[in-house]
Each structure stands twice: as C-alpha cells, then as structure tokens.
Amino acid sequence: RSDLTCFSAGGTDVDGVLKGLKRALDRIYESRALELTVESRPGLKFQGEKQDFEEMVGNLLDNACKWAKSHVWVSAARCDGAGNFEVLVDDDGPGLTGPDRAKAVKRGQRLDETKPGSGLGLSIVADLAHLYKGRFELEPSPQGGLRARLNLPAA
C-alpha cells in the first residue's frame, strides 16, 4: 500500500530512464559506432511503472538502433494541455512503407527475419501504451528513416 502511494505521488523520471537506456545501448551497439542523441527535460515524469516505461522506450530504441545507418535520436517533452508528454524515437535507416508500419505493430509480425528479435517488441509497446490510455504510432522520420511516436500520461 505504501509503495502505491509513493508511486502515484512521484511517477517515473523520464530523463533518468532515457539516459540509462542510452548507456546500455551505447555498449550493445558499440561495434557499429552508432550515435544516440537524447533530448529530454529534467523533471518530466511518466505516470506509471518504471519497468513499463523502460520496456516501451527500450523496445523502440533497440529497433531504431538495429535499423539506423549511423544515428538515432530520442526526445521527450510535454505536448499538450491534457497532461501528456511525448517520446519521439527517430532513426536514419531505411524506414517502412505505410502498409509495413501497420503490420509492424501486430503481435509476432517480423518484417525482416535477418535481424534478431521475436517480433513482439512493437506490439508490446502498443499494448502498454493502450494500458496507460496513451497512443503509439509509426510514421516517416524527418531524419529519413522511421519515427516512433509515444504519447503517455505525465505525472
């Protein structure tokens, strides 16, 4: 009971989670010399469980790192007056067509069997975002590849 009270009052530190994921992915993809840029505002909080936020953003960043040519960008900022914030993950990889973007978020769908993975990552992101009454979308990135847009409740 006291954990729940503490959780609802504080929320999950978005900037801390993004920086932690960057450190982990920098090590995992070290041999590819990928550049991973994080932009977020200190003090931004997710109204939800830390492990759920790590799961969602970790899946998006890992996918972006798998497909990027040289650079992945992640940013988090408040986006509207409704108490939400948005995480954007962009890469400079090949991107996806409209039909492939729709297919990619379905459970167990793998668009390329040559890349490691189970095909569950994006459907988990979609399920968790829905659980928190948020939104998850894939769209073309201004960086040339794919953009993952995650809209979630702020604490």
Side-chain angles (χ1 to χ4, degrees), residues 46 52 56 124-135 152-153:
F46 166 56
D52 289 342
M56 287 185 280
I124 289 170
V125 174
D127 290 349
L128 283 170
H130 181 75
L131 182 72
Y132 284 102
K133 298 183 179 17
R135 286 193 324 273
L152 295 168

Side-chain angles (χ1 to χ4, degrees), residues 55-151:
E55 180 85 15
M56 287 185 280
V57 180
N59 272 315
L60 296 178
L61 282 171
D62 188 43
N63 274 347
C65 287
K66 284 177 189 172
W67 291 101
K69 288 182 204 149
S70 64
H71 204 136
V72 173
W73 297 262
V74 60
S75 63
R78 285 207 177 256
C79 62
D80 58 34
N84 289 350
F85 72 100
E86 195 164 69
V87 176
L88 299 177
V89 177
D90 289 287
D91 67 65
D92 63 355
L96 291 173
T97 65
D100 279 348
R101 288 194 301 270
K103 185 178 172 188
V105 298
K106 291 193 168 80
R107 182 168 300 280
Q109 291 293 314
R110 295 188 58 202
L111 300 178
D112 184 343
E113 298 290 331
T114 67
K115 299 282 183 185
S118 62
L120 297 175
L122 294 179
S123 68
I124 289 170
V125 174
D127 290 349
L128 283 170
H130 181 75
L131 182 72
Y132 284 102
K133 298 183 179 17
R135 286 193 324 273
F136 167 57
E137 298 162 348
L138 295 174
E139 55 197 55
S141 170
Q143 308 300 336
L146 189 65
R147 168 173 279 179
R149 180 185 300 270
L150 189 57
N151 186 293

